[in-house]
């Protein structure tokens, strides 16, 4: 027994002596003084890239690489694709590896991008932003999603650590066009109209909203919140401004709205027992008139795209605010030997040409106001129009769960409590604030 | 990070001690001692490689986990020493603390209920030899060889709002009992627990049947001669004879309950609310979804210690006369 105690005591001593981590903690703010944007004369360069895109998104990045290599024959980009969850959980290790990728797709927020920036694993992109004029190309509300202060305590301001791309992922309202026609209603233009339409659908025996809360789906809540919230305050809330509270950013009203819909029977009868995948499948199969959803998540075929529409409901003031972000935050590894070439590629990913490639593959474009959308695709027409309006209104708000690493769980769990009548909207916003504030306290 | 892997280690150790140990014979002649010692060293040399692998694969991560548990660490940047804060958080945070309660409920369903049922069915099956016994055993043992992921997916379907369970209830007029099992705050945890019962019941039964067949028939004969009925016979002969099997069954099923992860992750993700959250799910979320590696390590260490304590207590109690 005595030896055990001694061993434990010895272990405790060695443990306190050497802390894990911090190995990669190089000075991330160290930047080259002058940036060359002349890639053609950079010599033969091979870049490694890891991303989490498959199917249409995978084809998009492949096409972008091919086009970039055509423009600069001296550059080769070796692409590796990994599963989303797999890459998110291993990217920090890959970027610490000398043979790791030069370019990678990360996830925004503190969980992924913030942690990588803190560890000094990704390049501060400020000088590239200046060289390529990103500050004037990209809407401010999107720029903020990729910025952290150099002390890495605050998100949403400071230096560029990642770039968006000519694609976006939004939360908005999908509708079943055939059902609307049958019910004799036009696609709603405001939240009030939507509620009137939902009531009509209910009377006609349809399920107004396809939704399942078994695994804590939050798209309806966050979609409604963006229609109700003050845009600037909502951005500030997510970007670590402690004086803004959840009740200031439409959270209380959004919770009350979805609870009201649940109580009015606007959701499927047993929505508490329906999981996300089943709800998506049911909606595409024709059950339900409306669905709040992330763009690209319904997996609509070319034929189905003719039968489903998309609207980004404007706020009562007329301006459109929507939850949206690039479907990945592009980073350059601090270990990359050719960051200038990598930055040129990131710049290309934000170009209108990359936006047109996206549309041609049925993906939602961004930063490309002049893209040509195939008119036969109802949903893509709606999605592209939404992205265009959000770009011009500078109306993006980030995904709310970026405000703290545990926020997505907090929202999902407490929303289930609200639906079960075990929590009111006041307690809900208090729980949200408690989660965010605890995280901010830990950051300080 | 691997509390499950470690706890399996615990059980192998427990089972290993139950296996026959080579006994030293006291009457060995003295001149053969050095030869024996040499043989012992040779044995150790043979075991050196596996031992080294064990040290690298099991012991080193174990020590590392213990180390991490004293830090606040996001997995990338420099960690800060926080002493026992992570452990304090685990036992004081209301949501994390509630996972202990959920595990206790799961222990009832994973361990106690299957053992009672297993004893009962073993007693019934061994009293009268029936043709086709092997088939019964095979059927009840089947869940034990199925992957938990498959089982979870099957039961997710069974418990679905329009799934077979609700359809069956409605078909026999029990509409009022049909509910959204996995989305119901009261019923989600028992519903998950019953999956565990289904999985471990067959295992317990097979274990007990093999145990009873090892009990000397003379004991039963003697009991019957003394006029013992089936109940008396069960409590006086069968139950004491199964002490070893009971210990193994309890250890295995209780540690299984303690480290429940895949079942919950696939069916409910810990919801509705946090009503089915288990320590293992909380650990996974802390380690791989939120950058709280220290907290995850602390949860892992506590669970490993609990598994060890369970195994030790059960072994002690079962070996006491």
């Amino acid at each position: 027994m005595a030896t055990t105690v001694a061993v434990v005591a010895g272990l405790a001593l060695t443990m306190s002596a050497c802390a894990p981590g911090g190995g990669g903690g190089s000075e991330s703010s160290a930047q080259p003084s002058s940036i060359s944007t002349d890639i053609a004369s950079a010599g033969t360069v091979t870049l490694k890239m890891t991303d989490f895109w498959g199917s249409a998104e995978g084809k998009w990045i492949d096409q972008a690489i091919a086009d970039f290599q055509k423009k600069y024959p001296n550059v080769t980009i070796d692409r590796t694709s990994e599963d989303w969850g797999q890459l998110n959980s291993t990217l920090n290790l890959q970027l610490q590896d000398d043979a790791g990728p030069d370019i990678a797709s990360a996830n925004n927020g503190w969980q992924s991008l913030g942690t990588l920036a803190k560890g000094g694993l990704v390049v501060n992109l400020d000088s590239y932003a200046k060289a390529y004029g990103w500050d004037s190309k990209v809407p401010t509300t999107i720029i903020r999603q990729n910025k952290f202060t150099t002390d890495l305590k605050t998100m949403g301001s400071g230096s560029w650590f990642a770039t968006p791309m000519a694609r976006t992922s939004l939360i908005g309202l999908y509708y079943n066009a055939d059902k609307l026609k049958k019910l004799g209603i036009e696609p709603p233009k405001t939240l009030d109209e939507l509620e009137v339409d939902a009531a009509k659908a209910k009377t006609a025996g349809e399920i107004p909203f396809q939704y399942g809360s078994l695994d804590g789906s939050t798209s309806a809540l966050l979609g409604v919140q963006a229609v109700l919230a003050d845009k600037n305050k909502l951005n500030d809330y997510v970007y670590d401004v402690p004086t803004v509270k959840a009740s200031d950013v439409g959270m209380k009203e959004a919770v009350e709205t979805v609870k009201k819909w649940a109580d009015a029977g606007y959701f499927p009868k047993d929505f508490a027992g329906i999981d996300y995948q089943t709800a998506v499948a049911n909606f595409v199969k024709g059950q339900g008139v409306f669905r709040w959803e992330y763009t690209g998540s319904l997996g609509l075929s070319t034929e189905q795209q003719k039968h489903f529409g998309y609207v980004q409901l404007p706020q009562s003031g007329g301006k459109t605010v929507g939850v949206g972000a690039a479907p990945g935050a592009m980073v350059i590894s601090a270990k990359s030997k050719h960051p200038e070439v990598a930055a040129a590629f990131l710049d290309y990913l934000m170009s209108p040409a990359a936006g047109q490639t996206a549309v041609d593959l049925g993906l939602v474009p961004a930063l490309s106001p002049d893209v040509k959308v195939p008119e036969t695709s109802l949903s893509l027409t709606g999605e592209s129009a939404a992205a265009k309006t959000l770009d011009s209104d500078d109306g993006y708000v980030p995904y709310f769960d970026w405000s703290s690493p545990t926020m997505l769980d907090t929202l999902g769990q407490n929303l289930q409590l609200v639906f079960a009548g075990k929590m009111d909207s006041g307690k809900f916003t208090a729980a949200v604030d408690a989660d965010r504030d605890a995280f901010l306290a830990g950051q300080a | 990070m691997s509390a499950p892997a470690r706890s399996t280690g615990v059980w192998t150790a427990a089972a290993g001690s139950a296996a026959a140990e080579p006994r030293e014979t006291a009457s060995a002649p003295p001149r053969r001692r050095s030869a024996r010692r040499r043989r012992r060293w040779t044995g150790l040399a043979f075991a050196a490689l596996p031992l080294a692998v064990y040290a690298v694969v099991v012991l080193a991560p174990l020590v590392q986990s213990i180390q991490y548990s004293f830090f606040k660490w996001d997995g990338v940047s420099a960690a800060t020493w926080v002493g026992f804060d992570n452990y304090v958080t685990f036992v004081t945070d209301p949501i994390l603390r509630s996972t202990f309660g959920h595990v206790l409920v799961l222990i009832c369903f994973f361990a106690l209920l299957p053992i009672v049922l297993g004893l009962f069915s073993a007693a019934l099956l061994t009293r009268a030899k029936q043709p086709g016994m092997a088939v019964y055993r095979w059927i009840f043992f089947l869940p034990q060889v199925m992957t938990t992921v498959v089982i979870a997916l099957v039961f997710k379907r069974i418990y679905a709002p329009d799934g077979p369970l609700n359809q069956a209830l409605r078909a026999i007029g029990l509409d009022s009992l049909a509910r959204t099992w996995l989305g119901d705050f009261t019923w989600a945890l028992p519903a998950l627990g019953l999956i565990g019962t289904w999985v471990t019941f067959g295992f317990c039964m097979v274990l007990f049947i093999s145990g009873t067949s090892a009990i000397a028939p003379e004991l039963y004969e003697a009991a019957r001669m003394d006029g013992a009925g089936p109940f008396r016979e069960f409590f006086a002969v069968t139950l004491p004879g199964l002490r070893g099997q009971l210990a193994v069954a309890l250890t295995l099923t209780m540690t299984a309950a303690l480290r429940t992860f895949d079942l919950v992750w696939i069916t409910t993700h810990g919801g509705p609310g946090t009503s089915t959250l288990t320590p293992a799910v909380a650990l996974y979320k802390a380690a791989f979804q939120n950058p709280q590696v220290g907290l995850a390590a602390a949860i892992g260490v506590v669970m490993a210690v609990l598994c060890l304590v369970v195994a030790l207590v059960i072994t002690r109690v079962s070996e006491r006369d």
Side-chain angles (χ1 to χ4, degrees):
Chain A
M1 214 55 200
T3 43
T4 325
V5 173
V7 167
V8 169
L11 277 178
L13 276 177
T14 33
M15 271 183 246
S16 55
C18 56
S26 55
E27 265 45 73
S28 55
S29 47
Q31 287 178 65
S33 48
S34 70
I35 295 292
S36 163
T37 54
D38 180 12
I39 303 307
S41 61
T44 311
V45 173
T46 302
L47 295 177
K48 277 193 259 181
M49 171 169 169
T50 308
D51 63 65
F52 42 55
W53 292 310
S55 53
E57 295 187 297
K59 283 187 197 144
W60 174 77
I61 192 75
D62 282 340
Q63 187 59 47
I65 290 172
D67 292 344
F68 187 76
Q69 287 174 346
K70 210 164 161 193
K71 200 170 162 194
Y72 300 113
N74 55 323
V75 180
T76 312
I77 299 177
D78 278 342
R79 173 182 174 238
T80 317
S81 173
E82 282 183 40
D83 164 70
W84 192 85
Q86 176 73 15
L87 183 56
N88 272 327
S89 53
T90 58
L91 188 57
N92 56 11
L93 300 174
Q94 293 189 28
L95 290 175
Q96 288 175 52
D97 183 356
D98 285 328
D102 297 278
I103 305 171
S105 60
N107 195 12
N108 295 79
W110 284 111
Q111 264 166 302
S112 176
L113 181 59
T115 311
L116 299 176
K118 249 183 171 172
L121 300 177
V122 293
V123 174
N124 178 330
L125 300 171
D126 271 356
S127 37
Y128 303 102
K130 211 152 113 207
Y132 289 103
W134 292 341
D135 286 295
S136 56
K137 265 190 217 170
V138 183
T140 320
T141 45
I142 290 288
I143 295 177
R144 292 187 74 183
Q145 300 183 349
N146 298 289
K147 281 192 165 181
F148 290 88
T149 54
T150 39
D151 62 2
L152 294 163
K153 292 220 159 83
T154 313
M155 179 169 52
S157 56
S159 294
W160 289 76
F161 280 96
T163 57
M165 62 200 71
R167 286 175 48 211
T168 189
S169 173
L170 311 168
I171 297 180
L173 185 73
Y174 282 90
Y175 59 86
N176 184 322
D178 302 337
K179 285 206 188 290
L180 282 196
K181 205 185 255 174
K182 216 173 77 192
L183 293 166
I185 46 183
E186 290 289 309
K189 290 190 189 67
T190 63
L191 192 61
D192 291 339
E193 278 185 34
L194 172 64
E195 295 199 288
V196 173
D197 292 349
K200 267 189 209 160
K202 175 80 185 163
T203 321
E206 294 283 353
I207 300 166
F209 293 99
Q210 181 55 253
Y211 176 73
S213 73
L214 181 60
D215 32 22
S217 168
T218 54
S219 49
L221 176 75
L222 299 182
V224 172
Q225 186 195 18
V227 180
L228 298 170
D230 178 308
K231 176 182 81 182
N232 294 325
K233 281 188 183 159
L234 183 46
N235 271 294
D236 284 345
Y237 186 91
V238 177
Y239 298 137
D240 313 323
V241 178
T243 48
V244 184
K245 297 291 169 198
S247 52
D248 303 331
V249 297
M251 189 53 98
K252 196 165 180 296
E253 294 77 5
V255 169
E256 284 161 4
T257 305
V258 290
K259 169 70 170 154
K260 186 177 74 188
W261 292 348
D263 291 345
Y266 287 178
F267 295 154
K269 191 164 78 46
D270 294 313
F271 70 92
I274 298 176
D275 67 357
Y276 175 81
Q277 290 300 345
T278 309
V280 168
N282 287 346
F283 182 63
V284 175
K285 234 169 31 190
Q287 293 177 19
V289 180
F290 299 105
R291 175 163 173 82
W292 293 93
E293 186 53 271
Y294 295 82
T295 56
S297 299
L298 291 179
L300 299 173
S301 67
T302 318
E303 181 54 34
Q304 286 165 334
Q305 287 181 11
K306 296 174 188 164
H307 300 278
F308 289 92
Y310 177 89
V311 282
Q312 199 76 49
L313 294 179
Q315 297 198 323
S316 53
K319 288 271 181 197
T320 304
V321 174
V323 182
M330 304 307 297
V331 295
I332 300 177
S333 168
K335 288 190 185 281
S336 173
K337 294 197 176 57
H338 306 285
E340 297 184 355
V341 181
F345 181 63
L346 298 196
D347 182 62
Y348 180 76
L349 290 182
M350 291 186 265
S351 67
Q356 186 61 49
T357 309
V359 173
D360 294 345
L361 289 161
L363 301 168
V364 189
L367 313 175
S368 329
D370 301 321
V371 287
K372 288 186 199 65
V373 185
E375 276 168 31
T376 50
S377 171
L378 181 61
S379 57
L380 190 57
T381 308
E383 291 158 352
S384 307
K388 198 169 161 181
T389 315
L390 288 171
D391 278 346
S392 61
D393 282 8
D394 199 359
Y396 290 98
V397 288
Y399 294 117
F400 193 80
D401 47 276
W402 295 353
S403 52
S404 103
T406 44
M407 188 56 81
L408 197 58
D409 280 344
T410 301
L411 290 178
Q413 288 162 2
N414 291 312
L415 195 56
Q416 289 169 335
L417 287 165
V418 168
F419 286 141
K422 291 173 186 289
M423 185 183 251
D424 62 19
S425 57
K427 288 223 177 71
F428 184 93
T429 45
V432 167
D433 279 333
D435 182 321
R436 199 269 315 239
D437 293 346
F439 172 70
L440 285 186
Q443 288 288 101
Chain B
M1 232 57 30
S2 56
R6 251 179 278 131
S7 46
T8 18
V10 168
W11 113 254
T12 345
S17 71
E21 284 171 17
R23 295 234 159 77
E24 294 266 340
T25 34
S27 58
R31 64 191 163 83
R32 292 191 54 202
R33 269 184 99 180
S34 64
R36 170 163 295 164
R37 192 172 295 162
R38 198 171 336 125
R39 222 186 309 147
R40 205 181 287 157
W41 281 112
T42 329
L44 209 57
F46 275 116
L49 187 63
L51 277 178
V53 172
Y54 182 78
V56 171
V57 179
V58 179
L59 297 182
L62 181 68
V63 173
Q64 219 168 19
S65 295
I66 298 172
Q67 181 197 9
Y68 291 168
S69 71
F70 294 105
F71 287 89
K72 179 177 184 286
W73 189 34
D74 60 11
V76 179
S77 42
T80 37
W81 174 266
V82 291
F84 282 92
D85 274 12
N86 287 324
Y87 292 93
V88 173
T89 307
F90 186 28
V91 291
T92 53
D93 181 276
I95 289 176
L96 288 178
R97 198 174 47 197
S98 73
T99 60
F100 287 112
H102 302 157
V103 154
L104 284 181
V105 174
L106 288 182
I107 285 177
C108 292
F109 282 100
F110 276 59
L112 305 185
L113 195 56
I115 285 176
V116 170
L117 288 175
L119 279 175
F120 184 65
S121 50
L124 283 182
L125 282 171
T126 46
R127 271 190 72 78
K129 296 268 183 269
Q130 300 282 343
M133 280 265 295
V135 178
Y136 288 124
R137 268 182 246 174
W138 186 79
I139 289 174
F140 285 117
F141 195 72
L142 193 64
Q144 194 64 32
V145 296
M146 278 167 71
T147 318
T148 329
V149 178
V150 175
I151 294 170
L153 286 172
V154 168
F155 271 89
K156 194 174 172 181
R157 183 80 202 94
I158 292 176
Y159 284 135
D162 56 351
L165 178 58
N166 280 342
Q167 280 174 3
L169 287 171
R170 290 193 186 109
I172 54 171
L174 291 172
D175 297 53
S176 58
L177 289 184
R179 61 194 74 236
T180 56
W181 297 98
L182 295 174
D184 190 298
F185 277 82
T186 319
W187 288 98
L189 193 59
L192 288 183
L194 280 173
I195 306 177
T197 309
W198 182 75
V199 173
T200 48
F201 158 66
F203 165 75
C204 292
M205 187 189 77
V206 169
L207 198 67
F208 296 149
I209 289 176
S210 71
T212 36
S213 62
I215 297 172
E218 296 83 39
L219 287 176
Y220 285 103
E221 255 171 58
R224 272 173 219 167
M225 288 235 225
D226 289 345
F231 284 100
R232 201 58 199 277
E233 198 181 294
F234 175 77
F235 285 106
V237 181
T238 312
L239 205 53
L242 285 178
R243 192 191 273 170
Q245 282 77 11
L246 272 171
V248 172
L250 255 184
T251 314
L252 275 180
T253 52
M254 278 183 76
T255 50
L258 280 172
R259 62 196 157 89
T260 311
F261 171 75
D262 25 20
L263 210 54
V264 176
W265 191 250
I266 287 162
T267 51
T268 64
H269 269 243
T274 52
S275 61
T276 57
L277 195 70
T278 63
V281 174
L283 183 156
Y284 179 86
K285 286 185 173 181
F288 299 109
Q289 296 199 313
N290 319 314
Q292 300 174 307
V293 177
L295 178 63
I299 297 175
V301 169
V302 170
M303 296 323 289
V305 168
L306 279 182
C307 285
L308 196 66
V309 168
V310 164
L312 283 178
V313 167
I314 292 173
T315 324
R316 279 284 161 82
V317 170
S318 70
E319 279 169 5
R320 199 168 52 196
D321 279 320

